[in-house]
């Protein structure tokens, strides 16, 4: 199994941030177009390196600064459209056949766009990118998730926006941002609104903060999926010998609540100490519904194929494991059940059958 062969395999990503996946050259060009002069580097190679170094620095301040630059060039119709278009094309070129890409509309209002306009331009970009990818022979289905920032107070408004656009390419709602001090229950009204409208919710929880955050996300907020959720291991005891699950871990496993695990990102943010110590394999063996994700492709210098290759090298996985993780993701997707089944039966299974031989 090589990077090239894994690229051929059909993949599904549920956790990928639009503002974390720009091409460095695009950041430079959009900055020139919109007159943004605060970029820390002035050619694509050194800018790409700067993003990676900042993400690797171990400093949360520097890590967050990276998003200030990407978000700054995504404030215009052209900027949003281009970033979304290239996102769909880049994912498709990596062999991703189904993607849920998330972003926070409230962060893109600096130059006068309304929330609805921000979503419209972004969706138009995804549609263009998917059309181009299909023409290139790498078809992809992309939907968008709308994120509210957990330190802010616009979550209900964003949930309403997600429901308003539900039939036009928005699949669900998420909250993200600093976890400590901003528990998910702070946004209960937004989650209740989503539930009242039979709409989907995922919550960043159990990444920077531990079990209480996961407990609130599943028990109070009723999330359909957990963004990261790696700290569910705080509720798994004797994992080296005979693992025992606490109440929350049992519930997450019993209810088949998917874990959107992001191996490289989880190491970079310090959620886990190293790839070797990542609980991905423990959780997979305990039959949690684990999925593989990219989080921020630019900052982590990664894509789905590289994330999968890292797991193959670390845990000795084979094609049938990658197929299982991909089907896990597809089963957990925020699109209607028949469409999930179609992608599993017509795209994923035949794709892996060829590779398994
Ligand atoms: Zn994330």
């Amino acid at each position: 199994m090589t990077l090239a062969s894994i690229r051929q395999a059909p993949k599904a990503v549920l956790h990928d941030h639009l503002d974390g996946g720009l091409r460095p050259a695009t950041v430079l060009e959009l900055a020139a177009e919109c007159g943004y002069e605060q970029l820390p580097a002035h050619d694509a190679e050194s800018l790409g390196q700067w993003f990676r170094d900042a993400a690797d620095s171990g400093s949360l301040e520097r890590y967050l600064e990276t998003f200030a630059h990407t978000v700054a060039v995504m404030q215009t119709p052209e900027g949003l459209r281009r970033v979304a278009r290239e996102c769909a094309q880049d994912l498709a070129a990596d062999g991703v056949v189904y993607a849920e890409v998330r972003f926070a509309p409230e962060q893109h209002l600096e130059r006068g766009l309304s929330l609805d306009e921000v979503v419209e331009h972004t969706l138009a970009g995804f549609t263009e990118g998917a059309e181009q990818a299909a023409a290139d022979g790498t078809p992809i289905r992309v939907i968008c998730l709308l994120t509210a920032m957990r330190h802010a107070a616009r979550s209900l408004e964003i949930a309403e926006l997600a429901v308003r656009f539900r039939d036009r390419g928005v699949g669900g709602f998420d909250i993200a941002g600093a976890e400590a001090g901003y528990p998910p229950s702070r946004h209960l009204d937004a989650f209740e609104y989503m539930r009242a409208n039979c709409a989907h919710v995922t919550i960043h929880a159990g990444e920077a903060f531990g079990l209480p955050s996961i407990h609130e996300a599943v028990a109070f907020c009723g999330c359909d999926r957990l963004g990261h959720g790696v700290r569910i291991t705080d509720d798994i005891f004797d994992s080296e010998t005979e693992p025992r699950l606490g109440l929350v871990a049992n519930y997450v496993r019993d209810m088949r609540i998917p874990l959107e695990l992001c191996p490289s990102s989880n190491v970079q943010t310090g959620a886990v100490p190293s790839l070797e110590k990542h609980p991905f394999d423990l959780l997979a063996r305990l039959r949690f519904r684990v999925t593989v994700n990219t989080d921020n492709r630019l900052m982590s210098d990664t894509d789905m194929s590289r994330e999968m290759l890292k797991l193959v090298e670390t845990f000795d996985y084979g094609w049938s494991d990658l197929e299982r993780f991909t089907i896990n993701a597809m089963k957990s997707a925020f699109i209607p059940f028949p469409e999930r089944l179609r992608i599993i039966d017509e795209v994923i299974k035949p794709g892996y059958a060829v590779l398994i031989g």
Side-chain angles (χ1 to χ4, degrees):
M1 297 170 84
T2 62
L3 191 60
S5 62
I6 293 174
R7 258 194 231 298
Q8 301 300 313
K11 293 171 287 290
V13 61
L14 303 179
H15 192 129
D16 186 271
H17 290 265
L18 185 64
D19 51 336
L22 285 74
R23 301 173 186 170
T26 298
V27 179
L28 286 166
E29 286 173 37
L30 288 176
E33 275 170 34
C34 70
Y36 178 71
E37 291 173 345
Q38 282 138 59
L39 288 183
H42 301 284
D43 65 86
E45 197 178 317
S46 34
L47 185 61
Q49 190 61 48
W50 180 86
F51 276 110
R52 295 195 284 278
D53 290 346
D56 265 336
S57 67
S59 148
L60 185 65
E61 227 166 63
R62 278 195 69 193
Y63 189 80
L64 293 179
E65 190 196 337
T66 61
F67 291 94
H69 297 302
T70 56
V71 167
V73 302
M74 297 166 66
Q75 301 293 337
T76 60
E78 303 73 37
L80 286 163
R81 205 171 171 129
R82 174 167 174 187
V83 170
R85 182 177 69 236
E86 292 179 351
C87 170
Q89 290 178 287
D90 291 351
L91 291 170
D94 183 38
V96 174
V97 296
Y98 177 77
E100 293 184 8
V101 181
R102 62 188 73 193
F103 80 114
E106 67 198 73
Q107 293 191 304
H108 302 271
L109 308 175
E110 281 170 26
R111 292 188 188 227
L113 292 176
S114 68
L115 287 172
D116 285 69
E117 286 168 338
V118 166
V119 176
E120 277 163 17
H121 294 304
T122 305
L123 290 175
F126 283 133
T127 302
E128 286 171 10
E131 282 169 5
Q132 187 57 52
D136 294 341
T138 52
I140 182 170
R141 170 91 192 267
V142 186
I143 67 161
C144 183
L145 306 182
L146 301 188
T147 296
M149 301 310 291
R150 53 204 309 160
H151 60 269
R154 300 191 82 152
S155 49
L156 180 57
E157 220 180 329
I158 302 303
E160 288 167 352
L161 188 66
V163 168
R164 201 148 66 239
F165 278 88
R166 69 188 317 169
D167 297 320
R168 286 180 278 167
V170 172
F173 171 70
D174 163 49
I175 58 167
E179 208 175 336
Y182 300 101
S185 53
R186 201 171 164 264
H187 304 277
L188 260 190
D189 52 350
F191 299 118
E192 278 164 6
Y193 179 83
M194 292 303 285
R195 271 210 304 278
N197 283 279
C198 302
H200 298 295
V201 169
T202 176
I203 299 180
H204 275 79
E207 179 188 19
F209 202 65
L211 202 55
S213 180
I214 296 180
H215 175 247
E216 286 205 358
V218 297
F220 296 180
C221 307
C223 65
D224 301 298
R225 301 195 312 235
L226 283 164
H228 303 292
V230 275
R231 296 282 298 274
I232 194 70
T233 49
D234 291 1
D235 203 32
I236 301 176
F237 311 94
D238 302 324
S239 55
E240 309 268 310
T241 49
E242 253 179 76
R244 284 181 300 111
L245 274 58
L247 214 56
V248 178
N250 252 322
Y251 183 80
V252 167
R253 186 172 65 171
D254 286 347
M255 298 304 287
R256 316 306 298 139
I257 296 174
L259 302 174
E260 303 163 358
L261 299 169
C262 309
S264 294
S265 165
N266 295 156
V267 174
Q268 275 181 315
T269 60
V272 301
S274 66
L275 210 57
E276 292 68 29
K277 292 205 167 73
H278 198 291
F280 189 98
D281 190 54
L282 170 71
L283 295 167
R285 279 186 284 117
L286 290 173
R287 303 291 302 271
F288 281 82
R289 188 179 280 182
V290 294
T291 66
V292 185
N293 299 278
T294 46
D295 212 10
N296 299 296
R297 285 171 286 118
L298 168 63
M299 288 74 179
S300 297
D301 188 26
T302 195
D303 54 30
M304 277 300 285
S305 298
R306 281 183 272 181
E307 291 303 298
M308 283 187 158
L309 181 64
K310 282 184 182 183
L311 292 175
V312 165
E313 289 171 347
T314 309
F315 300 116
D316 206 20
Y317 290 137
W319 288 119
S320 58
D321 298 303
L322 299 190
E323 179 183 27
R324 189 169 76 252
F325 305 147
T326 305
I327 290 176
N328 276 353
M330 213 52 239
K331 281 180 176 171
S332 315
F334 289 166
I335 55 171
F337 179 67
E339 294 176 44
R340 285 180 247 162
L341 271 190
R342 191 196 67 74
I343 297 177
I344 292 172
D345 290 337
E346 295 177 18
V347 182
I348 296 172
K349 285 184 175 172
Y352 281 93
V354 170
L355 293 159
I356 291 167

